[in-house]
């Protein structure tokens, strides 16, 4: 009986090992990304190779990654990472150094898509989005600052990152010089002086969905915004337009966890997901730009032209400098936070008094509200157009 039991355990163990050999753990940020990645990559990779992708999601934090790598037994093999996580993780030894010969030709990818530890999944962009009800067609950040020609509230992300770059671009700094300029005190002062010019005309946003909602409600005439939230159908149905000149773009990448026991399978998956035909499929599910340039001609022309990595758009864009923000981000965000008005919290449409303990804050119409003795009053400059 004991012998039979041992044989059964051995058979079950071998079966589990065989099943595990035909699996690959891939983790992403979840939500829309995970759904689109499943449709574009995971299902077809499994059908083609017999390797089942076990998909999971995480919140982008590195603590769990560090623990897995330190243990020597990572239970994730391939992971979606933002550029900051990729650079820091590569420096800390959390990711494998990649052999691009197993994946594709670096020259086939857009600038910034190939690094020591990562290969770009897609490009995303922050650009000027405006209502087509605006008289004329704003086409640049300089137009964004022209409140006389284009009256109305503008929206900007309430953060130093992206907003300081936009201010310098609006002030005539060419993209190639933006980060060199921002690394100096004179450059930072120049950016804040530029922002001062439209401070009272700006409605600050924090969440990616807010610019679209504020534009639809008529609270904004134009805004910086993540273009993913303004695909072709939304642009047509909700009367939005995108001005791509001097947009900002960055890239999410695939990385392989250091010590993954599935290194050959991981390389095989990334090579599959980096092929033009597969990246075409992803862009058809979500309005991300393919990082493989050969994917663009495979897309419908109107869709290809509306993506961050189209030749016309990326050639005029500024690649976000991850290393710069790792080095300078904390100080600049602290300075920006002291300069920008707080955003009113817990506000409802029916009760303007329902605010946090803020001496002054900005409401969803862009008006400044001053709280005193449990009452709120519009700031004297609140109605300025």
């Amino acid at each position: 009986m004991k012998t039979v039991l041992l044989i059964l355990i051995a058979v079950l163990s071998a079966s589990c090992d065989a099943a595990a050999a035909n699996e690959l753990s891939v983790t992403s940020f979840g939500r829309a990304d995970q759904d689109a990645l499943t449709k574009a990559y995971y299902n077809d990779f499994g059908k083609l190779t017999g390797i089942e992708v076990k998909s999971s999601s995480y919140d982008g934090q590195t603590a769990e990654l560090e623990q897995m790598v330190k243990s020597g037994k990572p239970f994730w093999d391939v992971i979606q990472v933002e550029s900051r996580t990729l650079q820091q993780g590569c420096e800390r030894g959390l990711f494998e150094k990649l052999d691009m010969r197993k994946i594709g030709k670096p020259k086939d990818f857009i600038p910034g898509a190939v690094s020591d530890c990562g290969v770009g999944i897609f490009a995303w962009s922050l650009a000027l989005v405006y209502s087509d009800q605006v008289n004329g067609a704003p086409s640049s950040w300089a137009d964004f600052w022209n409140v006389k020609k284009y009256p109305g509230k503008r929206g900007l992300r309430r953060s130093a990152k992206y907003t300081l770059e936009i201010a310098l671009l609006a002030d005539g700094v060419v993209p190639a010089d933006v980060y060199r300029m921002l690394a100096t005190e004179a450059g930072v002062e120049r950016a804040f002086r530029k922002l001062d010019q439209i401070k009272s005309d700006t409605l600050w946003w924090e969440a990616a969905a807010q610019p679209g909602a504020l534009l639809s409600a008529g609270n904004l005439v134009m805004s910086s915004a993540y273009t993913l939230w303004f695909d072709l159908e939304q642009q047509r149905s909700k009367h939005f337009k995108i001005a791509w000149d001097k947009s900002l773009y960055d890239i999410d990448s695939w990385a392989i966890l250091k010590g993954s026991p599935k290194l050959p399978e991981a390389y095989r998956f990334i090579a599959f997901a980096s092929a033009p035909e597969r990246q075409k499929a992803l862009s058809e599910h979500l309005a991300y730009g393919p990082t493989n340039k050969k994917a663009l001609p495979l897309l419908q022309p109107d869709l290809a032209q509306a993506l961050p990595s189209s030749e016309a758009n990326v050639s005029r864009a500024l690649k976000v400098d991850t290393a710069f923000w790792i080095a300078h981000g904390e100080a600049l965000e602290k300075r920006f936070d002291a300069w920008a008005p707080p955003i009113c919290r817990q506000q409802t449409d029916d009760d303007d008094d329902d605010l946090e303990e803020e001496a002054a804050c900005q409401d969803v119409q862009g008006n400044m509200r001053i709280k005193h003795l449990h009452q709120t009053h519009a700031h004297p400059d609140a109605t300025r157009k």
Side-chain angles (χ1 to χ4, degrees), residues 125-132 137-141 215 223 225-232 234-235 239-245 247 287 305-308 313 316:
S125 181
L126 189 87
L128 194 168
V129 179
Y130 63 95
S131 166
D132 66 3
S139 61
S140 68
W141 295 116
L215 283 164
S223 182
Y226 297 108
T227 60
L228 174 67
W229 292 78
F230 299 87
D231 60 27
L232 282 177
Q234 291 170 319
Q235 291 177 52
H239 305 286
F240 300 137
K241 290 190 176 181
I242 299 175
W244 288 98
D245 190 44
S247 62
Q305 293 165 13
L307 296 175
N313 296 337
R316 297 177 291 162

Side-chain angles (χ1 to χ4, degrees), residues 81-310:
V81 288
E82 294 180 333
S83 56
R84 182 186 182 93
T85 304
L86 178 63
Q87 180 165 329
Q88 292 181 323
C90 195
E91 292 170 354
R92 295 173 187 171
L94 301 182
F95 306 129
E96 296 282 350
K97 295 291 181 70
L98 296 182
D99 182 354
M100 276 302 294
R101 293 172 298 181
K102 298 178 180 179
I103 297 171
K105 297 178 181 178
K107 67 181 180 64
D108 289 341
F109 293 82
I110 65 172
V114 176
S115 63
D116 286 347
C117 295
V119 176
I121 307 171
F122 54 73
W124 56 264
S125 181
L126 189 87
L128 194 168
V129 179
Y130 63 95
S131 166
D132 66 3
Q133 304 304 305
V134 174
N135 290 327
S139 61
S140 68
W141 295 116
D143 287 341
F144 191 92
W145 256 254
N146 192 339
V147 295
K148 185 175 181 179
K149 184 176 180 180
Y150 304 104
K153 289 289 184 181
R154 286 98 165 92
L156 284 172
R157 186 176 186 261
R158 195 187 182 282
S159 68
K161 190 176 183 180
Y162 312 140
T163 302
L164 294 183
E165 289 101 318
I166 288 171
L168 290 183
L169 292 168
D171 206 36
V173 178
V174 297
D177 291 339
V178 165
Y179 290 107
R180 177 186 60 78
M181 182 76 68
L182 269 184
T184 68
E185 179 61 25
V188 174
E189 288 287 346
R190 181 174 174 178
F192 276 103
R193 284 198 305 271
K194 192 67 176 176
L195 287 170
D196 281 335
Q197 295 175 7
I198 60 167
K199 188 174 184 179
S200 61
D201 297 287
T202 300
L203 199 165
W204 302 96
W205 58 268
E206 295 175 303
Q210 284 181 284
L214 292 167
L215 283 164
S216 294
N219 293 0
L220 296 176
V221 295
M222 63 183 79
S223 182
S224 67
Y226 297 108
T227 60
L228 174 67
W229 292 78
F230 299 87
D231 60 27
L232 282 177
E233 183 178 345
Q234 291 170 319
Q235 291 177 52
R236 291 165 180 157
S237 63
K238 297 192 176 182
H239 305 286
F240 300 137
K241 290 190 176 181
I242 299 175
W244 288 98
D245 190 44
K246 296 182 177 62
S247 62
L248 282 65
Y249 81 95
D250 207 350
I251 292 167
D252 278 19
S253 300
W254 296 120
I256 302 173
L257 262 70
K258 188 74 173 179
S260 165
K262 302 292 185 64
L263 202 57
E265 293 88 348
Y267 268 112
R268 193 173 179 184
F269 171 77
I270 295 176
F272 174 84
S274 300
E277 297 79 10
R278 304 320 313 168
Q279 293 206 348
K280 166 185 176 287
L282 180 64
S283 292
E284 289 172 338
H285 288 296
L286 279 179
Y288 286 130
T291 57
N292 190 321
K293 292 181 286 189
K294 291 184 176 180
L296 289 162
L298 304 179
L299 292 162
Q300 291 294 323
D302 59 342
L303 175 57
Q305 293 165 13
L307 296 175
S309 57
S310 75

